[in-house]
Every structure is written in C-alpha cells, then in structure tokens.
Amino acid sequence: MNETGTSLEGVFSKNRAEELGYDVWQHFVVPPFYDRLDLETARKPRLIIGGRGCGKTMLLRYLSHQSMFSPNRPISSDIPHHIGLYWRTDTQFANAMVKRGVPDDVWDSAFSHMAALTLGLEVLNSLRSLAASRFKVLAGNDVASLTFERLKAFSPVLPDTATSLHSYLQEQLWQFERWVNDVRKVSEPEFLPGQRFVFALIAELKRQIPALEPFVFFVYLDEYENLCKYQKVIINTWLKHSEAPLIFNLAMKRNAFDTRETTGSESVSDIHDYRAHDLEDYLLQDEHYEIFLAEILFLQLSQLKVGNLPVAPEDLRDPTKLSRRRDKPYTVRVLAAAQKLLPDVSTEEQAKDIFADKALAQKLRTRIESALRHRGSSLSVERFFRPTVPQASIVSPALLYRARYRPEAIAKEMDLLESGQQNRFTGPTGWIHNNFVGCLLQLYEPHSRACPFYAGFRTFCHLSRGNIRHFLELCHKSISRSARRKLDIERSIAPADQAEAARQASTDFLGEVRSFGRFGNQLHTFVLRLGSLFALAHQRPTQSESEQSHFSIGRGSKPLSDDDLQFLGEATKWSVLFEEKGTKKKEEYRPESVEYVLNPIYAPYFHISYRKKRKLELPSADVICLISGSYDQVSAMLKRYLQAWSVEPAEMSPTLFSHLTD
C-alpha cells in the first residue's frame, strides 16, 4: 500500500475493461494506430476485430459518451461531435430469445424492441453525460425542457419528459426481460421498432436542441459473436442502412462475422458497407507496439505515485498528442525505462548462468558425454565443456549428435572461436544463432526452475502477442514478486522473478482456455496435446529443427472434416492459435496453405520457444488426432514421434508427459 492508499494488487487486478466501468478516461492509452481507425469522424460503419485482451472493449468504452464527456476529461477547444452508445448483449439472454414455442417473426420483433429500449436509454444517458461534462453544450435545463409528444406515434403510453421517458424505458426493459424468461405465463409486451424508434428519438432531440445538430450517434455493439443468427441478420441490416445521425459499428472476435445476410435481398459487403479494422494486426505491425505496451505499464504504475515515470498520463489519453508520443527522444526514453525495469537477458548472460549453476553445468557435461559416446568418440569432455566459450559449449551436444559433423571438426571450430578467429559458431554458418535457444531450453527441462529465456520487457511483448491483458499480468506477477522486498521502479526486477512470473501466468492462462465458449474443454485438451508435441520436438538430441512452435497441415489420405475445420476456426477465434499465410504456399486459402502458431503465452508452461522459427508439418491424420483423438490414440501418436526423434523419456518432465509412459 502506498501513501495514496492504492495497492499494487489494486492497480493490476482490474485488467479487463469491464472491471473499470463505462468511464475509462483515466485508464485509457490512445493506441498508436488510433488515427487509422477514423472512428470519431467516420460516417461509414466500422468492424473492430480482435481476440480477447487486445483492447476492443476498452477502445469502445473510450469512445462511449461516458468517457468522451467524462467529468475527468480536461476542457479543450475541440468539442467531440461524436456520441458513442456502447451496447453489449448478454450471451445467455440472447440465446434465450429463440424457439420455446414462440414464432420466429415474434422473436425478430422482440429483439428489435430490446434494441429500442437499450439504445433509447443510452441516448438519454448520453444527454446527461454531455450536460455534466466540462463542455458547455447542454445545460440541465435543456434536457428538462424536452418534450416527446411526437413519439407517441409509436405508442400512446410513452411519457412526455426526458426523466419520465427514461424511467419508462427502464421499466419496459425489466418487463421485457421478465417476459423472455417466462414467455408462456407472462403477457407479450407491445414492441417498439428498433432502429426506427432510436432514429426518431435522436431527430426529436436535434429538433428541440439546435446545439445537438452537429452531433452523430455511433452505436458500438460489442461481442457480436454472442448473437444468434437471426439477431445478426437484423444487426447487419441496420449496419447496411446506417446513416447520420445514427451509425452502427460492430466489435467481434476473429472469424465471428459468419453471416453477411440482411433482412433484404442484399448482403453487407466490405468497403461498400463498412470498413474492417483488425486491432491485433495493427498492434503487431506498428513500429510503436512496444512503446504502447510500456506506456500502458507506466500509466498503471502512475496510480502508485512511485518513482519518476517517463510518461505524462494526461498525454496518453489525448489523441492530439499522438505525434508527440512518436518523437524519437520520447520513444527512446520510454523504452529505456521499461527495459531498465524489466531487463532482458542476453544469450551470453544466459550461457554464463548455466556454468554458474552446479546442477545445470553438470547436466551440460552429461549431455556432452552422452553425445560423444553416441558418436564413439574418444575425445575428452573438456574439449567441448569450456567456460571461456559458454554459448558454443551449450550448442556442442546438438552438433555432436549430427552425423555430418565430425567431433574433431567441432572441437577445432571451438578452438578457432576461443582464439578469436573466423569460425562456424559465430560466422555465416551461425551455429550459435541457429541452435542456442533450443539447446538452452533443453538444459532447463525438466528442472523445476524457470528459464531466463522468458524474462525481459521485449520478451513479455512477444509472449503477449497483441494481448494487453496478458502483458499486464506478466508485469503484475513480476512486480509483485519484486515488491515483496520493496517496490522501486528505479531498480530492475530480477530475471529469475520475471521468468517465474511468466511460468505462473502461462499456467493461469492455459487454465482459462476451458472457459472459451462451447468448445472450451476441447480447446484446452488440444492445447495440452499440441504443446506436448512441441515439447517433444524441443527435446530432439540433434536440435536439427529447433524452436518449433507452429505447424502446417500436410496433405494426407484423411482430409479434415467440416467439424475439424470448425474447431480450427474456434481455436483462432479465441486466439489459442494464430493463422498466418504459409511462406511457401501460393494457392488460395485452405488449411494446407496456412501455418498455425500456438499462442506464445503458453510457451513457458510447455518450456518451448515463443519465437516463430521453424515449422512442424503434420499429416492431416495427426492433426485430426490432436483435435478429437482418444487418449490411447494421442498417446500412441506422441510415442511414435518420441521414437522417430530419438528422445529419451528420462529427458522429459514427468508431470507434463506422464500420459506417454506405460
């Protein structure tokens, strides 16, 4: 607990937008790609796409009226003529509005009615936000003077005043929820016509309050994937026919836009009807991605009032300050501060740590001895176990296992390296560059300690892969371990603390997979199976294909079924896997032309590389086995790979691979 009463746990525990409420002004960092979205001035609907934790909900709530007109927002000369209406449907409630003896056309009208009530309330709430803000556009008297007599055309029982209309819509929403929960016993309510009612309400506001004329209302429907198909069709129709002053925008996970149908004969189409923005792609492709994550970290820490932060919190939430945040001196300062707090560990330091640790050094020596016996070589272990060239020593067992290299030749190359001459370890052949990480991970497995390969600010950025929640959790666990002594952002957090934090976070996030929709349990099992296969690949003595953490599907006699393809779609939808176009495939999209990358956040749990280095091409039958194979089938498949790769069971973690033993 610091002098302000804010605890470290309190700062990081709320890592989801839903936990921050609707006014997120003080918690938001404008992303570096913000100006590409054109969300505040666009007159064409937007599709916001991205996986869990990438910032979709946070962005939409920043654009909502509660944040745009937040009492915490400082006054500026530019009045935002953008009124955001945030709307997220409840999954269970949306799915309750189907069948149950009620005709489909009634459910259509019922869903539109729910939208009219929900968005009508949001429009009225936005007036309150605007009147309470520092922008002197509306006064309380303006809202109090409104009359809605003309809206009685929709229903004669609609009240006249803003206050009474708000209360009425709220009561009608409660009554509607009661009817949906018990459609057989509760009388069907009188339905309002969705988009048309909201449009008419806005028109009345603009007619009576001229100051509202420049304003455009933007609906931000979050978690579109939670809707039933007929509900999506209705929303698609409203999106297609969006026009000022009411424009619909959608936010969804990847692969969730599974129908383009409308209630008419035309479907919605990209560019013509909307613009799509993939937040994860924008994050990962932006050169300021790491700076953005550092800014988020320091904004969180600013609540603790500790140290001299390299950022000004008020600038981070202001879109007009984006250009200043891109200046070279600023980015250098912020990145340096983040790397000082969470220092990366160089490969040279990682190699020295092996020799400084008695158990790991002995394991390296044992591996060299085994490799020499395998080759029938009489050379001394000391020719390869050299503290003076630790990186070369660590990769030497893998080289010794490869038949194409004579042990004497490898030893000679180490002599050249040690004497500072041209050699194959550091030269163009890049023996160290190509093999070090795989060999390092092999040494740490199956030890209980975490590997420093998973430590460091840049490493956390890679492990997160566009998931801000994952990044914050990695930082939280690291800082928490360090803060047991004393929190001081001027002091670096030990790599050992960071690596252990990464392993803990990886374990926690792997456990979350069970909650990922209706395929959650199957997705969790799939990740365990795939991660185990990659862990096996990392234990190959030769390390000839090191750091395999992604796979492609080879052609086989057993093609993937529609169910298998649907499952892979769910895996990418929930960011368990990431799809990337194959580097050597020219044909149009199909499973064989895609490379599937396991989410790197799971890498520390399986003790595998988080880097996308080398691909494992799997026959389609093996992919099907990973997806839906029985316990015995998967065990048999993994044992087959164990034998093919000459991996000794003793080299594997007994807990992770217990299902492989007889």
Side-chain angles (χ1 to χ4, degrees), residues 57-255:
T57 297
M58 194 72 170
L59 174 64
L60 300 191
R61 292 195 174 185
Y62 171 78
L63 294 166
S64 72
H65 62 86
Q66 292 95 334
S67 298
M68 281 288 112
F69 305 110
S70 169
N72 299 312
R73 179 174 183 170
I75 194 68
S76 66
S77 57
D78 297 326
I79 299 175
H81 291 139
H82 169 286
I83 298 181
L85 310 176
Y86 180 79
W87 179 23
R88 186 178 67 171
T89 59
D90 179 83
T91 307
Q92 291 183 332
F93 191 72
N95 282 276
M97 297 171 62
V98 292
K99 299 180 181 179
R100 301 167 62 201
V102 177
D104 291 345
D105 62 328
V106 174
W107 282 128
D108 289 350
S109 299
F111 180 75
S112 294
H113 176 64
M114 183 182 73
L117 298 175
T118 303
L119 297 178
L121 284 167
E122 270 295 278
V123 169
L124 295 175
N125 287 335
S126 72
L127 297 182
R128 297 178 178 181
S129 295
L130 188 53
S133 72
R134 300 183 184 185
F135 296 99
K136 304 304 180 182
V137 177
L138 284 184
N141 292 337
D142 295 323
V143 179
S145 65
L146 288 167
T147 177
F148 297 104
E149 182 69 27
R150 285 159 57 92
L151 292 183
K152 290 182 182 293
F154 291 101
S155 173
V157 298
L158 284 173
D160 296 338
T161 67
T163 301
S164 58
L165 180 60
H166 187 281
S167 297
Y168 175 81
L169 294 179
Q170 184 68 75
E171 291 169 4
Q172 288 299 301
L173 184 58
W174 292 339
Q175 290 180 20
F176 175 74
E177 291 171 350
R178 178 169 171 258
W179 171 72
V180 170
N181 287 327
D182 196 358
V183 293
R184 291 180 179 84
K185 296 179 181 178
V186 179
S187 299
E188 181 180 298
E190 179 184 2
F191 295 143
L192 293 172
Q195 182 191 34
R196 289 189 177 89
F197 174 78
V198 180
F199 199 94
L201 175 60
I202 293 171
E204 277 300 286
L205 298 179
K206 288 181 172 256
R207 185 178 68 84
Q208 298 180 52
I209 306 178
L212 292 177
E213 185 54 39
F215 287 81
V216 177
F217 291 78
F218 293 81
V219 176
Y220 293 111
L221 176 63
D222 202 359
E223 298 188 4
Y224 172 88
E225 64 273 6
N226 289 342
L227 299 176
C228 302
K229 182 178 179 181
Y230 84 87
Q231 297 163 355
K232 293 178 179 178
V233 169
I234 293 173
I235 294 295
N236 292 350
T237 305
W238 295 346
L239 179 143
K240 187 173 184 65
H241 297 290
S242 288
E243 60 179 333
L246 182 62
I247 295 174
F248 281 78
N249 305 271
L250 311 180
M252 64 190 72
K253 295 182 178 67
R254 192 171 284 104
N255 297 333

Side-chain angles (χ1 to χ4, degrees), residues 19-32:
E19 298 169 328
L20 299 173
Y22 290 95
D23 181 359
V24 299
W25 177 261
Q26 291 186 296
H27 304 280
F28 187 73
V29 177
V30 175

Side-chain angles (χ1 to χ4, degrees), residues 289-427:
Y289 167 61
E290 293 181 352
I291 305 299
F292 177 55
L293 292 184
E295 290 171 327
I296 292 174
L297 171 61
F298 289 127
L299 180 64
Q300 298 285 93
L301 291 174
S302 70
Q303 299 177 52
L304 294 172
K305 310 294 184 184
V306 293
N308 297 315
L309 297 174
V311 300
E314 62 274 10
D315 288 350
L316 300 181
R317 58 183 71 99
D318 187 349
T320 64
K321 300 298 194 324
L322 265 178
S323 59
R324 180 186 304 178
R325 289 165 51 201
R326 291 168 178 155
D327 289 344
K328 188 72 172 179
Y330 172 84
T331 60
V332 169
R333 182 174 73 251
V334 172
L335 190 58
Q339 291 177 316
K340 180 180 180 181
L341 179 64
L342 298 165
D344 292 280
V345 186
S346 69
T347 56
E348 184 175 357
E349 292 173 305
Q350 293 173 25
K352 289 179 179 178
D353 287 344
I354 295 293
F355 281 87
D357 186 290
K358 185 176 180 181
L360 292 174
Q362 181 56 45
K363 186 171 183 180
L364 174 59
R365 180 183 289 275
T366 300
R367 282 187 176 274
I368 295 173
E369 289 174 345
S370 298
L372 289 171
R373 281 198 305 271
H374 175 77
R375 296 298 302 276
S377 175
S378 59
L379 290 178
S380 167
V381 172
E382 306 305 326
R383 291 296 306 276
F384 304 94
F385 187 84
R386 306 191 196 185
T388 54
V389 283
Q391 293 167 282
S393 299
I394 289 169
V395 303
S396 66
L399 299 174
L400 287 168
Y401 270 108
R402 299 177 192 176
R404 66 179 180 274
Y405 300 136
R406 293 173 52 251
E408 292 79 7
I410 297 171
K412 182 178 179 181
E413 293 296 330
M414 293 187 78
D415 293 339
L416 294 173
L417 171 64
E418 197 168 26
S419 62
Q421 301 181 57
Q422 181 69 25
N423 63 88
R424 302 183 74 179
F425 281 96
T426 58

